[in-house]
Amino acid sequence: MSVVVKRVTAMLALGGAVLASAPAFADADEDNLVINGDIAIVTEAKAPAHMEYVDTIYSGWRFRSDETQVMQADDFDNPGMIGVENAMEKWAAVDGSEGKSCASCHGDAEESMVGVRPVYPKWNEEAQEVRTLEMQVNDCRENRMGAEKWGYTSGSMVDMVALITSVSRGMPVSVAIDGPVAETWEQGKELYYSRTGQLELSCANCHEDNYGNMIRADHLSQGQINGFPVYRLKNTKLNGVHARFKGCVRDTMAETYSPGSAEFVALELYVASRGNGLSVEGPSVRN
Amino acid sequence: MASGVRPRVKVPKTASAGEAVTLKTLISHKMESGQRKDSDGNVIPRSIINRFTCDFNGQNVIDVTLEPAISTNPYFEFEATVPESGEFKFTWYDDDGSVYEDSAEITVA
């Protein structure tokens, strides 16, 4: 296991209004993540061209303590893998009026689902919509299995998304931002930079202007989603992307959008695109 | 029986005689402390794993008493010296009387 404790402080380009007169300091640590001694994870990359104010992107893993980081280096130590195991059972279980399981059509998830996570959310031509993985899973359940939809943030759903994600670990996130998704992406970007709540803070105020700084006892990351679903030590369960967004919006003391809403789908597409180039890491472990 | 309980163990397949090997165990369990209340103000009854043991070829390696403050999905990692080929047996005892077992073979080369 190669968690080495060594810290550097690097100066970064600054942006946004909050710290306009003071430079922001990045304090991502210098540790390397290799899962199961086998899957090398890219936790730092050159920022995609569309990002104006950030030069280097970092996985949230780089901002966590060594004790938390190490849990993600071995699947046995990663409690998020419990969700993956649960989902494997669901994958093979027949459900709904058509008498089918996921496996009936998709075979072995460890083969058929490789490469799926890195490109989501993505455009679905037939439905003419941007789909998150959760939406796609529910579409299969409802329209191909004749089964009931799962709740967007339900345990079954987040476990299934963890399974589908886990088989792409190490592959680079690469969501498309142009063509038919361009409008949704713009909408997501707009939301990212809009201040909300009584605190009047945007995502960017915390995750772009202040990553590396402490906010109370928490070490601010860039708010990347390459590690989702995330097993949080705080609530001892797997958390989906929209559940995290909801928590962050609520922390600005605002009314939040609902998980699965068009707004959060757009925001997910935009935030995912800010991680283009980082490895898929989920299920990851965070505090 | 508490739902979603599943034991897991990680034991090396081989060792040399007398070697100390690292064993890892995890059981998925909610470990309800008995200290919390539900939204109606009623105490949620305690439901925890209260004891964990590991034996090697019938000889006890570790015997742990668990208390309510131990968090969800208890994880134990410990070492055992392996004198000969044999079987590790792991046992978890639930408050509700359920007993969960797992085992793993190890070969001394």
Side-chain angles (χ1 to χ4, degrees), chain A residues 169-268:
Chain A
R169 284 181 296 174
M171 298 176 76
V173 176
S174 55
V175 296
I177 65 171
D178 52 3
V181 308
E183 198 185 321
T184 308
W185 184 83
E186 285 295 345
Q187 193 195 343
K189 183 175 181 183
E190 176 81 30
L191 286 164
Y192 192 86
Y193 286 98
S194 298
R195 291 170 181 264
T196 58
Q198 285 176 307
L199 299 184
E200 294 191 52
L201 290 171
S202 71
C203 314
N205 290 145
C206 284
H207 293 298
E208 186 166 279
D209 305 337
N210 280 298
Y211 68 87
N213 289 331
M214 300 298 290
I215 181 165
R216 298 228 198 150
D218 224 339
H219 193 196
L220 266 173
S221 73
Q222 290 181 340
Q224 295 283 1
I225 55 173
N226 63 305
F228 278 77
V230 167
Y231 184 90
R232 293 192 68 186
L233 302 171
K234 171 181 166 170
N235 60 13
T236 62
K237 66 181 177 109
L238 277 172
N239 298 265
V241 171
H242 291 196
R244 179 46 122 157
F245 287 175
K246 190 175 161 187
C248 276
V249 175
R250 195 194 42 219
D251 287 350
T252 68
M253 303 178 63
E255 285 284 341
T256 95
Y257 300 109
S258 317
S261 62
E263 289 83 0
F264 272 176
V265 172
L267 187 59
E268 178 173 346

Side-chain angles (χ1 to χ4, degrees), chain A:
Chain A
M1 178 42 237
S2 59
V3 167
V4 184
V5 193
K6 193 168 44 150
R7 285 175 179 274
V8 289
T9 310
M11 182 102 80
L12 277 158
L14 55 114
V18 167
L19 292 182
S21 57
F25 289 94
D27 193 16
D29 68 15
E30 286 291 281
D31 298 340
N32 280 318
L33 176 57
V34 178
I35 298 175
N36 301 331
D38 179 32
I39 312 169
I41 300 291
V42 174
T43 57
E44 174 176 344
K46 193 174 174 306
H50 68 77
M51 284 170 74
E52 293 163 66
Y53 309 110
V54 175
D55 294 331
T56 308
I57 51 173
Y58 300 98
S59 161
W61 184 84
R62 292 278 291 276
F63 298 83
R64 308 296 23 116
S65 70
D66 289 346
E67 295 78 5
T68 306
Q69 286 181 327
V70 77
M71 294 179 80
Q72 213 183 305
D74 181 343
D75 280 355
F76 195 87
D77 301 342
N78 180 345
M81 295 307 288
I82 296 171
V84 172
E85 280 178 32
N86 292 341
M88 280 175 179
E89 280 174 15
K90 295 216 172 71
W91 181 267
V94 170
D95 195 3
S97 59
E98 304 304 305
K100 288 195 174 1
S101 70
C102 313
S104 316
C105 295
H106 294 293
D108 187 349
E110 288 172 25
E111 285 167 23
S112 64
M113 290 294 135
V114 173
V116 172
R117 168 83 271 179
V119 297
Y120 270 80
K122 81 168 189 196
W123 183 251
N124 184 287
E125 191 57 38
E126 208 175 310
Q128 293 284 303
E129 66 182 7
V130 175
R131 271 192 188 160
T132 61
L133 262 184
E134 283 88 342
M135 290 162 75
Q136 177 62 52
V137 168
N138 264 343
D139 185 73
C140 283
R141 285 187 57 79
E142 220 183 358
N143 299 319
R144 300 192 192 271
M145 297 168 69
E148 262 184 56
K149 287 210 250 182
W150 281 328
Y152 199 91
T153 55
S154 64
S156 301
M157 180 61 90
V158 75
D159 286 353
M160 185 57 75
V161 171
L163 166 60
I164 295 169
T165 304
S166 67
V167 301
S168 292
R169 284 181 296 174
M171 298 176 76
V173 176
S174 55
V175 296
I177 65 171
D178 52 3
V181 308
E183 198 185 321
T184 308
W185 184 83
E186 285 295 345
Q187 193 195 343
K189 183 175 181 183
E190 176 81 30
L191 286 164
Y192 192 86
Y193 286 98
S194 298
R195 291 170 181 264
T196 58
Q198 285 176 307
L199 299 184
E200 294 191 52
L201 290 171
S202 71
C203 314
N205 290 145
C206 284
H207 293 298
E208 186 166 279
D209 305 337
N210 280 298
Y211 68 87
N213 289 331
M214 300 298 290
I215 181 165
R216 298 228 198 150
D218 224 339
H219 193 196
L220 266 173
S221 73
Q222 290 181 340
Q224 295 283 1
I225 55 173
N226 63 305
F228 278 77
V230 167
Y231 184 90
R232 293 192 68 186
L233 302 171
K234 171 181 166 170
N235 60 13
T236 62
K237 66 181 177 109
L238 277 172
N239 298 265
V241 171
H242 291 196
R244 179 46 122 157
F245 287 175
K246 190 175 161 187
C248 276
V249 175
R250 195 194 42 219
D251 287 350
T252 68
M253 303 178 63
E255 285 284 341
T256 95
Y257 300 109
S258 317
S261 62
E263 289 83 0
F264 272 176
V265 172
L267 187 59
E268 178 173 346
L269 174 63
Y270 176 68
V271 177
S273 79
R274 292 173 66 94
N276 274 350
L278 296 174
S279 293
V280 170
E281 222 186 82
S284 68
V285 185
R286 307 279 190 260
N287 47 291

